Amino acid sequence: MADYEGVLLGMGNPLLDISAVVDEDFLTKYDIKLNNAILAEDKHLPMYEEMSSKYTVEYIAGGATQNSIRVAQWMLQIPGATSYMGCVGKDKYGEEMTKNSKSAGVNVHYYEDETAPTGTCAVCVVGGERSLIANLSAANCYKSEHLKRPENWALVEKAKYIYIAGFFLTVSPESIQLVAEHAAATNKVFTMNLSAPFICEFFKDVQEKALPYVDYVFGNETEAITFSKVHGWETDNVEEIAIKISQLPKASGTHKRITVITQGADPVVVAQDGKVTTYPVIFLPKEKLVDTNGAGDAFVGGFLSQLVLEKPIEECVRAGCYASNVIIQRSGCTYPEKPAYN
């Protein structure tokens, strides 16, 4: 299926997840809230060591965009259908991640930073819920020069669909802008994620600069409510917020914007043309939940896997729900060898 080669491109922060089931005391000690995602501050730096000495730690290839791209690749089962760019260090974690992604069938073009180590993300799990603390390191060193190299820009040219998590706004807004403008000029589908409350709050300006180019906005209910608050909309109603986001100005009229908001176990909200449709998720008994790490990423990956095949939106949502249901029954953003999706 050569026509699907490189159809989907992701750009983001490749991170190695350091995942452990911890306890409330650990969360309190490092001032961590469940179901949140933050960037590590100095006070968090000792926690990586402490986690690996005190708890049973798993090392899993992560990073929001990379998770979504790997899940889309897994769902598609078409070798080389997806590609991905981001920055890693010249170290064993970086090598491990390259090997990992290539064996997953993703065409990765990492930029290797000479000095910074590969980025890590502490995943603290309590009662199946997760909190993410990212130490970007090398991931923070991505430069638009790398993107502009012919062999890398070729991936942009080849792609018909592009996905970038909001987390990349903290690293290389100029890379996002280059790709966004290319997508608008060539009628490609450009998709992004709100990603975390702190992105909506503290990276509002770069987020607003990218939004006019975004054809699909993904996010969860907490992020949507934060977005509403930051923009002075004075509503916590997720359906209303989803409509408002879909109606924000667009750079190109080729595609109308669609907002897709997940709400954990509650229905998925899809807003387009001033209307909302909700889709129930697959029920999962609490005892089957391992951890929610990667659930939102997997939803996006499943969704995109059908979008690139030009399936209707309900099919995209169904695939998203399937993928996230698989991922929450496993540790981190991992999956069995083949999807049982039809």
Side-chain angles (χ1 to χ4, degrees):
M1 298 178 78
D3 50 343
Y4 284 112
E5 196 194 325
V7 68
L8 174 63
L9 168 67
M11 289 171 70
N13 303 336
L15 304 173
L16 187 75
D17 282 353
I18 301 173
S19 180
V21 176
V22 301
D23 48 42
E24 291 289 348
D25 291 347
F26 188 82
L27 298 184
T28 310
K29 177 177 177 179
Y30 288 107
D31 191 22
I32 301 165
K33 295 181 189 65
L34 285 176
N35 291 319
N36 200 10
I38 59 171
L39 294 177
E41 296 167 39
D42 289 345
K43 67 178 178 187
H44 297 115
L45 297 179
M47 70 183 281
Y48 299 87
E49 249 330 284
E50 188 177 333
M51 276 175 82
S52 46
S53 61
K54 207 164 147 186
Y55 306 101
T56 311
V57 169
E58 286 185 90
Y59 295 90
I60 307 159
T65 308
Q66 184 163 248
N67 285 343
S68 297
I69 294 298
R70 284 176 52 208
V71 168
Q73 180 60 49
W74 171 68
M75 290 285 288
L76 282 164
Q77 295 287 311
I78 304 166
T82 62
S83 42
Y84 175 80
M85 285 187 262
C87 185
V88 296
K90 272 189 150 64
D91 52 25
K92 74 170 199 306
Y93 286 168
E95 281 169 31
E96 194 57 31
M97 205 129 58
T98 307
K99 207 171 75 199
N100 215 301
S101 298
K102 288 200 165 137
S103 69
V106 180
N107 178 17
V108 290
H109 282 212
Y110 290 135
Y111 168 53
E112 280 188 352
D113 188 79
E114 297 292 334
T115 49
T118 296
T120 50
C121 183
V123 181
C124 303
V125 179
V126 175
E129 304 293 345
R130 60 87 180 130
S131 188
L132 308 175
I133 302 89
N135 185 10
L136 297 181
S137 295
N140 204 29
C141 302
Y142 191 85
K143 305 278 185 291
S144 56
E145 287 67 64
H146 176 260
L147 172 64
K148 290 174 184 162
R149 284 183 206 157
E151 69 274 21
N152 299 323
W153 190 255
L155 299 180
V156 180
E157 296 273 354
K158 193 166 232 180
K160 295 189 179 77
Y161 296 81
I162 295 153
Y163 175 66
I164 302 177
F167 293 120
F168 201 52
L169 287 164
T170 76
V171 172
S172 187
E174 56 284 2
S175 297
I176 296 177
Q177 216 56 29
L178 283 169
V179 172
E181 286 167 11
H182 164 82
T186 53
N187 298 333
K188 294 178 176 183
V189 176
F190 186 66
T191 67
M192 282 193 81
N193 204 310
L194 299 177
S195 288
F198 86 87
I199 298 288
C200 303
E201 288 179 275
F202 306 115
F203 292 87
K204 178 176 181 248
D205 295 353
V206 278
Q207 189 182 54
E208 281 188 344
K209 217 178 149 206
L211 267 173
Y213 297 94
V214 185
D215 301 309
Y216 286 81
V217 173
F218 296 98
N220 67 24
E221 75 279 37
T222 322
E223 293 149 12
I225 290 165
T226 305
F227 189 93
S228 169
K229 194 169 76 209
V230 168
H231 289 80
W233 289 348
E234 297 186 349
T235 176
D236 280 355
N237 180 312
V238 173
E239 298 190 10
E240 274 177 48
I241 297 166
I243 287 179
K244 278 179 167 304
I245 292 173
S246 71
Q247 290 171 337
L248 289 169
K250 279 201 98 253
S252 146
T254 311
H255 311 287
K256 49 186 194 283
R257 185 180 301 109
I258 298 176
T259 315
V260 184
I261 305 293
T262 58
Q263 311 185 86
D266 293 328
V268 178
V269 171
V270 176
Q272 57 177 328
D273 292 329
K275 291 191 293 288
V276 160
T277 316
T278 59
Y279 300 90
V281 302
I282 304 162
F283 172 73
L284 185 74
K286 187 80 174 134
E287 63 275 10
K288 282 195 156 176
L289 173 72
V290 174
D291 70 53
T292 55
N293 182 24
D297 301 334
F299 175 86
V300 172
F303 187 102
L304 293 173
S305 74
Q306 304 307 297
L307 189 68
V308 305
L309 299 175
E310 296 177 13
K311 296 281 171 66
I313 199 133
E314 52 273 19
E315 272 307 299
C316 299
V317 174
R318 193 167 78 89
C321 291
Y322 165 77
S324 59
N325 182 265
V326 168
I327 264 81
I328 60 177
Q329 297 181 65
R330 303 166 68 93
S331 186
C333 197
T334 61
Y335 38 77
E337 198 188 330
K338 290 256 192 325
Y341 181 78
N342 46 33

